[in-house]
Amino acid sequence: MRFVRAVWKLLVGIKDALVLLLLLLFFGLLWAGLRAGPQPIGEGVLLVDLDGALVEQPARASASSLVGGSVMREHRLRDVVAALDNAKDDDRVKAVALDLEGFVGGGQSAIAALGNAVERVRKSGKPVLAYATGYTDDSYQLAAHASEIWLNPLGAVAIAGPGGNNLYFKGLLDKLGVTANVYRVGTYKAAVEPFTRSDMSPEARLNAQSLGLALLETWRDDVARARPAAAGSIAAYLRDPVAVIRAAGGDFARAAVQAKLVDRAGDRHAFDRRLAELGGEEDGKVPYRQVKLADYVRELAPGDSTGPIGVVTIAGTIVDGKAGPGSAGGDSIAELIDEGVASDKLKALVVRIDSPGGSVLASERIREAILAAKRAGLPVVASMGSVAASGGYWVATPADAIFAEPSTVTGSIGVFGILPSFQGSLTKLGLGADGIKTTPLSGEPDLLNGPSPEASALIQAGVESVYRRFLGLVAASRKKSPAEIDRIAQGRVWDGGTARQLGLVDQFGGLDEAIAKAAQLAKIEDRDVTWLDQPKSFEDRLIEMVAGDGEADAVPQDAFAVLAPAPATMLAQAFDDLRSILAGPSVQVRCLECPASPRALRAVNPERAGWLAWLGRF
C-alpha cells in the first residue's frame, strides 16, 4: 500500500504541475496578446531604429531564440520603405529619425532603395536626421540621404570599401589527412578554392578585384548624388584616411565635420533635444514625441492583398525540400507559386530574388513552377536584390524581363561539387578500410579510401552535364548561343552594371519598376500586388507575441568595432561555410564569393549559443 500511495502522490504532483503550467501559459499568452495589440499612433518624430539587419525577407523566429534571451532583429525592406512613403504625407509625422547605432547592414541595393525612400521624405519638406557613433560603408550610404547627419563626439566615419581576407583550409586538411575531392566547371568558380589551395588563384583574384572596384564605384556614386558636398572628401578619405585625421589634430569627429561627411558632432542628449524641437517635447522617459517604426508598420499593414500581380520572394540559400521564410526551400516556394496561379486571380508574376544560390534540384524545382505560371498565361518579371547569383540566376532564366540594380551581385554561372574522403586520416590513426565490390560502383563514392576513378569520372560528368544545362537555360533566356554565354560564364561574378552590358540583365530598376513592367506585359492598369508569402502559423504568431519588442543582441557601436566582424564571428562564418558545403548536395550552383549577408555573419556567432552548441552543428 505504501508503494501505491507513493505512486498516487506522484501522479497528483504531476497533475498539479501541469495545471500550474497551463495557468502560467494562459496568463502569459493573455499578457502577450494585450501587449502586442494595436498601439495608438500619436504624432511626433517617426523613429526608424534599424538595430539589426535590413533584409528582403525576415527569417522565422524560433522558440529556442527566445530562450537565449536576445535575437538579432531583421527589418523587412518593403515594410520600412512603405512606412517612409506613408510618413511623407502623414501630418502626424513631423520628422524622421534614422537611428543607425546598431545597424549591421543590408547590401548596397537594399540600402540604395531605402535611401531613395528617405529622399522622397525630404522632398516632401520633412527633415530626416541620422545618428550613430560609428558610420561604416552601409550605415553611411544610408545616412548620406538624410537632411542632417549627426555623429557622436567620440565616434568616427570609417569607410573601408569592399574587400578582406578569407580562410583557406588546404593546409589544415592536409594535417588532418582529409582529401577534398573537387568536381567543378568554371575557371572562376572560386567557391572550391579554400579546399584546394592556401591562397587565392590569380583568376579568382582578378574577378574579385573587378567586382570590388565596381561595387565601390557604385557606392561612391550613390553617396555623391545624395550628399554632393562630401564627394571630394570621400575620395580623400578613401585615398589617405590617416592624412585626413591628422589634419584635424587626430580628432575623428572633427575630421568628419570638416570634410562635410557629417553635419554635427553631438551626443545622444543633444540629438534628442534637436528631435524635440522638430516633433515636440514629451514628459517622462521619452525626451521627444515619437512614433515607433514597429507600431507604424502594424498600422499600415493591410489585410490579405488581392492585387493582380503576384510577388514571390526567393531569399537566402536555395535548399531542397521545404523551409521557412529567409531560407529558400525549393518545394515551399514552388507551392506558393502554384497556389497563386491556381487561384486564377493573378495576371502577372514578379520573382524577387536575393539569393547566392544553392541546390541544383531546388533551383530547378522553382524554375519549373515559374514555367508553369508562364504556361498559364502569366508574364514573368525577375527583380534582383543585392545578390542574385548562381542558383539565384538559374531561377531568373524563365523571366520575360530581368531587372537589377547597378550594385546587384549576379552571374556566377558555374557548377561545383565537393566530397571529403578520409584515407589520410585513417593512415594517421593506424586504421584501415577494406571490403568487396560486385560492380565498379559498389560502395561508391568511398569516403574512407577515396572515390574510385570510375566514381570520380561519373561525378565530374554530372557536374559538366549540369553546367551545359545551365548554359542552355541562360542562352535560351538571353537569346544567345551557349558558346557566347560560356565566354561570360565560367563562374565569374559580375556587378549589375557589367551584367547589363553583357546582356545578363535587361534593365536597371528595383521592385517597383519590375511591378510596373509586369503590369505593362499583362496589359493591365492595376499595379496592386498579392504577396505570395508563407502564412504565419499559430506558433509563429505566438512567438511574435511573446518576443514583442524585446531586447536585441548587443551590437558594438564605435566605428572600429563594426568596421569588420569580430574575430570569433569571422572564424564561425568560415567554418559554417565549410560545414554547409561539405554537408550540402553533391552538386551545387552556389556563389560563396558573393558578399555575405549581415544575417549570415551574425547567425553563426558562437557567442550567441555557446561554442559547444555551435560546434555540435558539425
Side-chain angles (χ1 to χ4, degrees), residues 314 351 353 367 370 380 382-384 388 391-402 477-478:
I314 302 173
V351 183
I353 306 167
R367 191 188 74 89
I370 297 172
V380 176
S383 171
M384 294 180 168
Y393 194 89
W394 183 296
V395 299
T397 54
D400 298 298
I402 298 178
S477 171
R478 301 289 89 200

Side-chain angles (χ1 to χ4, degrees), residues 266-403:
D267 60 20
R268 176 68 72 171
H269 293 292
F271 183 67
D272 288 345
R273 288 194 298 270
R274 172 62 176 144
L275 295 178
E277 293 175 6
L278 298 171
E281 296 184 1
E282 185 70 274
D283 297 331
K285 295 181 179 180
V286 181
Y288 60 92
R289 292 181 181 176
Q290 62 180 235
V291 178
K292 291 185 177 181
L293 176 65
D295 295 335
Y296 200 64
V297 168
R298 271 194 291 267
E299 183 185 79
L300 294 177
D304 294 334
S305 54
T306 56
I309 301 175
V311 181
V312 65
T313 302
I314 302 173
T317 303
I318 300 175
V319 297
D320 293 317
K322 295 187 177 183
S327 184
D331 289 345
S332 300
I333 293 172
E335 288 175 5
L336 290 175
I337 297 172
D338 292 342
E339 290 170 3
V341 173
S343 70
D344 290 329
K345 297 178 181 178
L346 301 184
K347 304 299 183 185
L349 178 67
V350 174
V351 183
R352 178 67 172 176
I353 306 167
D354 189 26
S355 171
S359 163
V360 174
L361 291 178
S363 300
E364 179 64 7
R365 176 81 170 90
I366 296 171
R367 191 188 74 89
E368 289 172 351
I370 297 172
L371 284 175
K374 291 189 69 173
R375 287 194 294 270
L378 274 64
V380 176
V381 177
S383 171
M384 294 180 168
S386 295
V387 177
S390 210
Y393 194 89
W394 183 296
V395 299
T397 54
D400 298 298
I402 298 178
F403 282 74

Side-chain angles (χ1 to χ4, degrees), residues 141-152:
Q141 182 186 358
L142 180 56
H145 294 269
S147 315
E148 298 179 18
I149 303 179
W150 284 62
L151 176 68
N152 188 293

Side-chain angles (χ1 to χ4, degrees), residues 230-282:
S233 302
I234 289 289
Y237 245 79
L238 293 172
R239 184 173 56 252
D240 191 352
V242 176
V244 175
I245 301 302
R246 284 177 176 169
D251 189 323
F252 288 83
R254 182 190 302 170
V257 174
Q258 290 177 351
K260 301 187 184 305
L261 296 177
V262 303
D263 298 294
R264 292 187 59 176
D267 60 20
R268 176 68 72 171
H269 293 292
F271 183 67
D272 288 345
R273 288 194 298 270
R274 172 62 176 144
L275 295 178
E277 293 175 6
L278 298 171
E281 296 184 1
E282 185 70 274

Side-chain angles (χ1 to χ4, degrees), residues 240-609:
D240 191 352
V242 176
V244 175
I245 301 302
R246 284 177 176 169
D251 189 323
F252 288 83
R254 182 190 302 170
V257 174
Q258 290 177 351
K260 301 187 184 305
L261 296 177
V262 303
D263 298 294
R264 292 187 59 176
D267 60 20
R268 176 68 72 171
H269 293 292
F271 183 67
D272 288 345
R273 288 194 298 270
R274 172 62 176 144
L275 295 178
E277 293 175 6
L278 298 171
E281 296 184 1
E282 185 70 274
D283 297 331
K285 295 181 179 180
V286 181
Y288 60 92
R289 292 181 181 176
Q290 62 180 235
V291 178
K292 291 185 177 181
L293 176 65
D295 295 335
Y296 200 64
V297 168
R298 271 194 291 267
E299 183 185 79
L300 294 177
D304 294 334
S305 54
T306 56
I309 301 175
V311 181
V312 65
T313 302
I314 302 173
T317 303
I318 300 175
V319 297
D320 293 317
K322 295 187 177 183
S327 184
D331 289 345
S332 300
I333 293 172
E335 288 175 5
L336 290 175
I337 297 172
D338 292 342
E339 290 170 3
V341 173
S343 70
D344 290 329
K345 297 178 181 178
L346 301 184
K347 304 299 183 185
L349 178 67
V350 174
V351 183
R352 178 67 172 176
I353 306 167
D354 189 26
S355 171
S359 163
V360 174
L361 291 178
S363 300
E364 179 64 7
R365 176 81 170 90
I366 296 171
R367 191 188 74 89
E368 289 172 351
I370 297 172
L371 284 175
K374 291 189 69 173
R375 287 194 294 270
L378 274 64
V380 176
V381 177
S383 171
M384 294 180 168
S386 295
V387 177
S390 210
Y393 194 89
W394 183 296
V395 299
T397 54
D400 298 298
I402 298 178
F403 282 74
E405 300 286 4
S407 57
T408 297
V409 177
T410 187
S412 191
I413 301 169
V415 186
F416 72 90
I418 300 178
L419 285 175
S421 58
F422 305 95
Q423 58 269 37
S425 302
L426 297 182
T427 300
K428 291 176 182 289
L429 295 172
L431 298 174
D434 203 358
I436 66 164
K437 284 180 176 288
T438 56
T439 73
L441 294 182
S442 295
E444 296 292 342
D446 186 352
L447 302 186
L448 296 178
N449 289 319
S452 68
E454 294 86 354
S456 291
L458 282 177
I459 296 173
Q460 180 62 37
V463 168
E464 292 171 0
S465 175
V466 173
Y467 181 65
R468 286 194 299 271
R469 178 164 177 76
F470 204 166
L471 292 181
L473 293 176
V474 178
S477 171
R478 301 289 89 200
K479 296 179 174 57
K480 297 177 181 292
S481 69
E484 289 177 300
I485 297 300
D486 186 43
R487 285 194 289 271
I488 60 175
Q490 295 287 323
R492 290 183 185 90
V493 183
W494 304 107
D495 63 283
T498 305
R500 185 181 179 187
Q501 294 174 4
L502 295 172
L504 295 175
V505 169
D506 294 304
Q507 292 178 249
F508 288 146
L511 182 58
D512 288 342
E513 288 76 14
I515 291 171
K517 181 67 174 180
Q520 176 191 345
L521 293 175
K523 299 179 181 179
I524 57 176
E525 297 292 332
D526 190 352
R527 296 185 181 180
D528 289 340
V529 304
T530 295
W531 299 104
L532 302 179
D533 294 330
Q534 295 185 42
K536 291 183 179 179
S537 64
F538 174 76
E539 180 185 359
D540 295 334
R541 297 182 186 278
L542 178 62
I543 292 172
E544 284 183 2
M545 285 194 302
V546 174
D549 297 323
E551 181 183 359
D553 274 351
V555 179
Q557 296 177 352
D558 71 90
F560 301 102
V562 298
L563 192 58
T569 303
M570 292 179 65
L571 286 173
Q573 172 65 32
F575 282 105
D576 194 70
D577 285 342
L578 174 64
R579 180 197 63 82
S580 63
I581 286 293
L582 296 182
S586 298
V587 180
Q588 301 186 42
V589 281
R590 182 176 176 185
C591 176
L592 281 184
E593 311 93 298
C594 295
S597 69
R599 171 190 292 158
L601 289 174
R602 300 293 304 283
V604 295
N605 190 343
E607 296 173 359
R608 295 178 60 192

Side-chain angles (χ1 to χ4, degrees), residues 26 39 48 50 78 91 121 182 191 222 249 333 350 395 463 568 578:
F26 172 77
Q39 300 297 317
V48 182
L50 294 180
R78 75 173 190 241
D91 293 336
V121 175
V182 172
D222 187 32
I333 293 172
V350 174
V395 299
V463 168
L578 174 64

